[in-house]
Amino acid sequence: MLERGVENVSIDDVVTAAGMAKGSFYRYFGDKVQLVETAMEPLSSALLDATSECAAALRSSELTTDASIAYQRMAARLGVALVSHPQQLRLYLQECRGPSTGARVPIRALADAVASAAIELSELAMERGIVRARDCRVSALAVVGASERLMFEALVADTPLDPSSAALSLIDLVFNGVRPGN
């Protein structure tokens, strides 16, 4: 699936690569959608748990420094997910913008959940005056897009980005914007 994409891999391809009988596949999975859903579950839990924890911290924070720490903790948890589930993360990043059809449905559902969580985080930050934006959806989706691209670069680039440094740079960009140096 990493080489050819989720939709271009058949059950026959899966069982051949796994060296198992087709009947054994169906003993554990009803179809390819369920296989992808099961494979993505650890990453899904890690991503959604990290955003939920950050949302809880933002709800109780009133200071920009508290919010910055909440975002840094979320970035650290996402970094652990990157290291713990690199193949699932790469598959997610490759497939998350494709149509929500067939075996891609669980990946797109996760992408939609990530976008919703990011919008919630942005709304919370705006309510507390921590982040300014004309439309919190724009800032949230811009950060998701940037984060996903940075993670992809960390996984596949010839000279990969350092995930920790990239996360801190992105947090700094969100909180401080783009300005000329002092």
Side-chain angles (χ1 to χ4, degrees), residues 11 25-35:
I11 300 297
F25 174 88
Y26 287 109
R27 184 176 189 190
Y28 296 100
F29 306 104
D31 56 16
K32 192 166 62 166
V33 172
Q34 193 175 33
L35 170 67

Side-chain angles (χ1 to χ4, degrees), residues 21-153:
K22 198 170 191 175
S24 294
F25 174 88
Y26 287 109
R27 184 176 189 190
Y28 296 100
F29 306 104
D31 56 16
K32 192 166 62 166
V33 172
Q34 193 175 33
L35 170 67
V36 171
E37 190 173 71
T38 301
M40 297 302 293
E41 199 286 321
L43 178 65
S44 179
S45 292
L47 295 177
L48 299 179
D49 289 349
T51 58
S52 293
E53 181 182 292
C54 186
L58 288 177
R59 282 187 195 92
S60 65
S61 73
E62 294 182 23
L63 301 172
T64 302
T65 54
D66 293 340
S68 179
I69 290 168
Y71 281 111
Q72 288 176 22
R73 285 185 181 145
M74 181 177 68
R77 288 194 64 189
L78 295 175
V80 169
L82 183 135
V83 171
S84 302
H85 311 290
Q87 292 179 323
Q88 292 94 333
L89 181 60
R90 183 172 169 198
L91 186 62
Y92 167 80
L93 295 170
Q94 288 177 192
E95 300 283 341
C96 69
R97 287 182 174 73
S100 184
T101 57
R104 193 179 294 116
V105 168
I107 296 171
R108 279 303 310 273
L110 176 56
D112 293 344
V114 166
S116 293
I119 291 168
E120 177 189 11
L121 292 175
S122 189
E123 288 170 344
L124 288 166
M126 283 181 62
E127 286 171 10
R128 282 153 182 73
I130 297 166
V131 173
R132 293 184 318 268
R134 288 196 172 107
D135 184 336
C136 64
R137 295 169 300 176
V138 172
S139 61
L141 296 176
V143 170
V144 167
S147 298
E148 289 176 350
R149 184 61 194 178
L150 290 168
M151 285 187 278
F152 191 73
E153 286 297 313

